[in-house]
Amino acid sequence: VGLIRRSVSNGRSDSFFVNQMFLRAMSGLIVGLIYAGLAGGFTFLCWRLTNDPSHPGPMIPDNNAWGRILIFFVTVSAAVLGGLVGVVVSLTQVNKARGALIGGTIGVLLYVILAWDFVKSIPQTRRYWTELFQALGMYFVLLPIGLTVTGFAASVVVKKLKL
């Protein structure tokens, strides 16, 4: 309510303010969806480099189906998280450092939750610990680093559009 009063007191109408807020939110959402596309592409690339599609294995679903399921869930999760970070940063109109801080904070919190869950449930063998560190490395790139860059980019986009 205070923001609307401030915009009316500056001589702008309510419809202008609502349109401006909508454009800010949409620009942040688009930045978040771009992040989701990059996260899904990165996951596809990692899966494709480590999997042989001509020999999918005997399971149902086979390795190819598990790869598609993984890529789908990573992309959907990244779309939700990237959209959330993009919209929050663009609506609050923070500077680049604070935008990156918002994205990084959300990413680090989720990373710690995932890492804690993985570490407490993994068997105590060397093979599983190697796979754990590979998975945590990918999650580190996708969550804290990716959401930090998303928050930074959303802040830059809002400043460039002068919304």
Side-chain angles (χ1 to χ4, degrees):
V1 175
L3 293 175
I4 293 174
R5 284 190 197 135
R6 195 173 338 138
S7 70
V8 172
S9 67
N10 290 339
R12 296 180 178 170
S13 67
D14 287 339
S15 65
F16 175 76
F17 181 73
V18 170
N19 289 339
Q20 192 177 27
M21 293 292 282
F22 178 74
L23 289 175
R24 266 191 231 133
M26 290 308 294
S27 67
L29 187 63
I30 289 170
V31 169
L33 293 178
I34 290 170
Y35 161 70
L38 291 173
F42 176 73
T43 305
F44 173 75
L45 180 63
C46 289
W47 171 74
R48 185 74 170 151
L49 290 174
T50 59
N51 185 37
D52 184 12
S54 62
H55 302 288
M59 295 187 330
I60 298 175
D62 59 8
N63 289 341
N64 294 334
W66 280 115
R68 288 190 297 270
I69 291 169
L70 174 72
I71 292 166
F72 173 76
F73 281 114
V74 165
T75 305
V76 169
S77 304
V80 170
L81 294 172
L84 173 74
V85 168
V87 168
V88 167
V89 169
S90 63
L91 287 179
T92 56
Q93 291 182 316
V94 293
N95 60 10
K96 293 182 271 190
R98 288 192 180 175
L101 184 66
I102 290 171
T105 303
I106 292 172
V108 166
L109 288 174
L110 292 171
Y111 179 75
V112 167
I113 291 169
L114 282 174
W116 179 260
D117 188 43
F118 284 160
V119 169
K120 73 177 184 177
S121 66
I122 193 164
Q124 299 295 324
T125 63
R126 182 179 173 148
R127 176 177 172 256
Y128 288 114
W129 280 97
T130 304
E131 290 180 9
L132 171 73
F133 286 125
Q134 289 173 348
L136 289 179
M138 280 188 62
Y139 285 131
F140 188 77
V141 169
L142 290 175
L143 289 175
I145 293 175
L147 290 176
T148 300
V149 172
T150 302
F152 179 83
S155 176
V156 168
V157 166
V158 168
K159 297 294 184 209
K160 292 287 183 189
L161 292 176
K162 294 182 175 93
L163 294 174

